[in-house]
Amino acid sequence: MKAIIEVGHRGSIFDAVSSQVAESRAGRPVDYRLSFESTQTLFAEVTPERLELLDHLRRIGPCRAEELADQLPASSDPTVFTHHLERLETLGLLERHEDGTLFVPFASIEIILQLARVA
């Protein structure tokens, strides 16, 4: 399963849900879709630091937040680090096992930005 992050038009969430239901009914795996109203909002939430954190965690596998912080090359302020983890978890890009270990539930994350068309 992969995560698809995109900028969507008003009401695009309904299109995404409809597509996911159809995929599920056909027995195909359903990708996780995360849609933002603008590129500014997308990149305010999915920052380079957060993408780096996800990439590193995906490479090393499930671990506790403290272990992850110790393994990152330039770990930031613990408060900022915790905030990044909380936002990623809220966005559904990061999950936590019952024992508290963090993991990335996706094989890949795709960011799709559609360029405006000239009429």
Side-chain angles (χ1 to χ4, degrees):
M1 181 166 75
K2 65 183 170 185
I4 300 170
I5 302 171
E6 62 192 346
V7 175
H9 58 82
R10 184 180 300 251
S12 65
I13 186 68
F14 300 110
D15 297 336
V17 169
S18 175
S19 172
Q20 288 176 326
V21 168
E23 292 291 314
S24 177
R25 285 185 178 155
R28 292 187 288 270
V30 178
D31 294 324
Y32 176 72
R33 298 189 83 86
L34 182 60
S35 187
F36 292 93
E37 62 190 34
S38 70
T39 54
Q40 292 83 2
T41 306
L42 186 156
F43 289 119
E45 291 291 339
V46 184
T47 64
E49 295 84 8
R50 292 176 184 170
L51 287 172
E52 173 80 22
L53 205 153
L54 288 170
D55 182 54
H56 193 79
L57 182 57
R58 178 72 183 159
R59 277 188 272 122
I60 65 172
C63 68
R64 295 196 163 286
E66 301 79 24
E67 297 171 71
L68 179 60
D70 290 343
Q71 293 188 26
L72 289 171
S75 204
S76 63
D77 175 332
T79 305
V80 173
F81 180 75
T82 300
H83 178 70
H84 286 323
L85 294 178
E86 288 170 353
R87 285 306 301 153
L88 289 169
E89 201 169 353
T90 299
L91 293 170
L93 298 172
L94 180 68
E95 292 184 8
R96 208 177 281 266
H97 287 293
E98 287 184 21
D99 66 359
T101 56
L102 301 167
F103 68 100
V104 179
F106 309 105
S108 67
I109 296 175
E110 297 178 7
I111 298 175
I112 300 172
L113 297 174
Q114 303 252 345
L115 299 178
R117 290 187 218 172
V118 177

